[in-house]
Amino acid sequence: MTKCPTEDRQAVLSEVVALQEAGCEIIRVTVNTLEAAEVIPDIKKISRVPIVADIHFDHKLALAAVKNGIDKVRLNPGNIGSDEKISEVVKACKERSIPIRIGVNAGSLEKDIIKKHGGLQTAEGMVESALRHIDILEKNQFFDTIVAMKSSDPLMMIEAFRALASQCDYPFHLGVTEAGNSTQGLIKSAVGIGTLLAEGIGDTIRVSLTDTGIEEVRAGKEILRSLGLRREGVEYISCPTCGRLEGDLIPLLNRVKQATSHIKHPMKIAVMGCVVNGPGESKSADIGVCMSGNSAILYSGGQSLGLVEKEDLESRVLEEIGRFIDRKKDNQQKQPGG
Ligand code: SF4
């Protein structure tokens, strides 16, 4: 999701470009004013991915977003007021085949639902709220719906999605909302989103961190890669280090990561601290390096390239990574249609 005011045209366009470059596959922008809705055509001009308008209560903003070419609308039909307003939005979305994403948030459940569940935010309450919004859309003969139910508690969102999955077939958008930042935010997101995806529940995801959108995208892609759902970019395999460590591993890993973070091609790079587990991991990676005494063993494509002096290690590793990518590109070009 972009984080700047959408009315700030230059800022939002820059964010959209940066998110796309980072590998974001769907971008949501805040549409809380008519001025924000007017920026949508410019965003669409530069965007290679679908753009979602985040609407809360104002149906006029949903209509403006649809008119300006948005790809998806995020709104809760129960929040926008009269039946006429709902049917106006539904009609506009239907005419242009625009899906609506319902977004239930544990922190803003309907008052009567909270009361019914003992004054608490609960998974049952989230499901009840989602079903209520779904019902409104279905009564308007609208079925192009995606459902999100977010909570800052990963267990609550897991429980809610598991329960809803047994009650409807709509696609689900997963996220742990207000997850925080840094280690806590990443782990809460990975536990909530990862658990459900591993069970086959969920169609799109959003990692919500108190951080830049780029960090959110990186985290989301890492969750997908860990589950084997995406492959692009570099997967780093590195040992945790221990008393057997035979070199300055952490600075080497950081420099290799910095020099290779732009790579989109799927590849594995192993950086290992000694010959206990080093050769095995290095051989199974595309490029591997294993510290050994005063030198290190360098591997490419599972084959040892021999010992390398430690002062030459970084440049040799980067050289081999470059060769690996060149070979892959050559192979792609040789393939029919490549
Ligand atoms: S590879 Fe070697 S240095 Fe690294 S954690 Fe394993 S035993 Fe320790």
Side-chain angles (χ1 to χ4, degrees):
M1 186 163 184
T2 54
K3 307 224 169 184
C4 63
T6 308
E7 298 89 337
D8 187 340
R9 195 173 302 255
Q10 277 321 310
V12 80
L13 293 180
S14 302
E15 267 201 71
V16 166
V17 169
L19 288 170
Q20 284 184 156
E21 285 304 305
C24 188
E25 296 173 18
I26 303 174
I27 298 176
R28 181 156 52 118
V29 298
T30 304
V31 178
N32 54 345
T33 61
L34 284 172
E35 290 74 30
E38 280 160 16
V39 182
I40 292 169
D42 288 343
I43 297 174
K44 288 287 297 166
K45 263 184 224 154
I46 59 149
S47 172
R48 300 189 303 266
V49 300
I51 302 293
V52 185
D54 194 23
I55 313 285
H56 272 264
F57 308 105
D58 191 340
H59 86 295
K60 284 195 184 127
L61 296 177
L63 295 173
V66 169
K67 184 171 145 259
N68 283 316
I70 206 72
D71 298 298
K72 180 160 83 177
V73 170
R74 184 269 188 197
L75 95 171
N76 291 343
N79 294 352
I80 62 174
S82 67
D83 290 348
E84 290 73 29
K85 288 178 182 169
I86 295 167
S87 77
E88 232 184 306
V89 172
V90 164
K91 184 167 174 280
C93 287
K94 263 193 197 171
E95 277 170 6
R96 302 194 186 203
S97 302
I98 293 173
I100 294 176
R101 175 164 77 72
I102 291 167
V104 170
N105 192 313
S108 56
L109 285 176
E110 294 89 332
K111 286 195 182 91
D112 63 305
I113 291 180
I114 288 278
K115 195 171 167 198
K116 183 176 162 190
H117 293 274
L120 300 170
Q121 297 173 12
T122 60
E124 293 81 7
M126 289 167 73
V127 172
E128 192 172 337
S129 175
L131 289 171
R132 198 179 274 187
H133 294 301
I134 289 170
D135 189 50
I136 293 171
L137 292 179
E138 288 183 346
K139 282 194 173 122
N140 280 275
Q141 295 301 304
F142 190 90
F143 305 98
D144 194 2
T145 305
I146 299 115
V147 186
M149 295 182 293
K150 294 183 183 170
S151 162
S152 57
D153 176 350
L155 289 177
M156 193 187 292
M157 65 74 93
I158 290 169
E159 202 186 319
F161 274 112
R162 281 177 179 158
L164 191 64
S166 66
Q167 297 180 58
C168 75
D169 289 328
Y170 288 112
F172 291 160
H173 176 70
L174 310 181
V176 177
T177 194
E178 292 108 29
N181 71 353
S182 189
T183 307
Q184 181 184 292
L186 294 170
I187 290 179
K188 283 174 81 170
S189 302
V191 167
I193 296 169
T195 300
L196 288 165
L197 289 177
E199 293 175 9
I201 297 173
D203 300 271
T204 58
I205 66 166
R206 191 261 165 118
V207 175
S208 307
L209 298 176
T210 314
D211 207 325
T212 63
I214 305 293
E215 286 307 314
E216 294 179 330
V217 172
R218 283 186 186 141
K221 293 191 88 66
E222 217 43 64
I223 292 171
L224 296 178
R225 195 209 314 271
S226 300
L227 291 162
L229 297 170
R230 288 289 184 283
R231 291 189 61 234
E232 70 264 32
V234 182
E235 179 182 349
Y236 302 95
I237 296 157
S238 61
C239 78
T241 77
C242 73
R244 292 190 180 85
L245 180 64
E246 295 185 22
D248 224 356
L249 187 89
I250 295 173
L252 173 67
L253 173 66
N254 288 338
R255 288 196 298 270
V256 168
K257 280 180 94 166
Q258 207 173 15
T260 55
S261 62
H262 63 285
I263 294 174
K264 300 265 191 296
H265 200 90
M267 72 178 297
K268 277 189 191 178
I269 299 174
V271 180
M272 299 293 292
C274 80
V275 293
V276 172
N277 294 319
E281 291 290 2
S282 300
K283 277 183 204 166
S284 68
D286 296 305
I287 301 294
V289 58
C290 167
M291 302 290 184
S292 176
N294 293 325
S295 325
I297 314 165
L298 185 58
Y299 294 82
S300 175
Q303 301 297 318
S304 167
L305 302 179
L307 288 171
V308 176
E309 293 301 318
K310 286 200 176 139
E311 56 266 30
D312 300 329
L313 195 50
E314 186 181 338
S315 59
R316 286 286 292 116
V317 170
L318 296 179
E319 195 179 308
E320 286 307 322
I321 290 169
R323 284 192 181 141
F324 171 83
I325 290 170
D326 289 344
R327 279 199 300 276
K328 287 280 170 190
K329 281 184 187 158
D330 282 352
N331 289 343
Q332 267 173 1
Q333 277 165 4
K334 280 177 198 156
Q335 279 169 9

